[in-house]
Amino acid sequence: MDMHIAPAGVADFHQVLSHHPRYWGERDLRSLHLLALVQEFGSTCLVARAEDGIRGYVFGFVTPDGTGYVHLIATRQDSRGIGLGRRLYTAFAEAAARQGAQRLKAITSVKNTGSIAFHRSLGFDAKIVDDYDGPGVAMAVFHRALPLAVTGRP
């Protein structure tokens, strides 16, 4: 199946939200999807499009200190295991580097073992940080330097 990765638009954002369970299953993460990210950081909010719609997406931005921060990354349930997450991360890293990013950062719940394994497979260092998201809310925090050169499937 032919897929291409391109900057996300407002219509893409709404399409992703309307098909939220196809990306996130039973977890309701719609509140983390911020249209302002697409509006303000369009070059680092990307979608992977195929004939049958958006197969995956990454929403992120570059901080003033040169960090490419990945806020959300997801692939549709029928598009997992084909390396699409890696392709999206690579495209994000390239877009972030064009804006001066020198490193990447992401966070996830300490219970999200799939995300932790995925980020480690991309060469991220993972650290559990207590109270990261408020008192008693530890998060897994990932860091790695650019460039991001990944090959193969997860």
Side-chain angles (χ1 to χ4, degrees):
M1 172 166 292
D2 189 32
M3 259 185 288
H4 70 281
I5 296 174
V10 172
D12 298 321
F13 176 86
H14 291 298
Q15 182 180 350
V16 163
L17 277 186
S18 69
H19 298 283
H20 184 271
R22 293 186 78 186
Y23 303 97
W24 298 99
E26 296 297 316
R27 294 182 295 163
D28 187 354
L29 299 180
R30 288 176 292 181
S31 66
L32 295 178
H33 289 70
L34 308 172
L35 182 55
L37 291 177
V38 173
Q39 298 274 32
E40 301 299 326
F41 306 104
S43 64
T44 53
C45 292
L46 308 170
V47 294
R49 284 192 192 89
E51 254 182 49
D52 64 348
I54 296 172
R55 290 294 187 117
Y57 61 95
V58 58
F59 294 165
F61 55 90
V62 177
T63 67
D65 75 346
T67 300
Y69 175 76
V70 172
H71 180 67
L72 290 167
I73 183 166
T75 57
R76 245 174 38 190
Q77 291 170 339
D78 61 351
S79 297
R80 298 201 177 128
I82 62 170
L84 181 55
R86 290 174 179 274
R87 285 183 57 196
L88 284 163
Y89 239 111
T90 299
F92 173 83
E94 291 168 355
R98 285 191 295 273
Q99 293 185 23
Q102 299 170 8
R103 67 195 74 69
L104 297 175
K105 180 179 182 179
I107 64 171
T108 195
S109 158
V110 295
K111 294 179 182 178
N112 192 342
T113 57
S115 178
I116 293 169
F118 172 68
H119 282 86
R120 284 188 171 146
S121 78
L122 294 176
F124 281 84
D125 292 323
K127 181 179 176 184
I128 304 302
V129 179
D130 292 331
D131 302 326
Y132 188 91
D133 204 22
V137 184
M139 298 293 281
V141 180
F142 307 105
H143 291 96
R144 72 152 289 147
L146 287 174
L148 176 66
V150 295
T151 58
R153 292 170 52 175

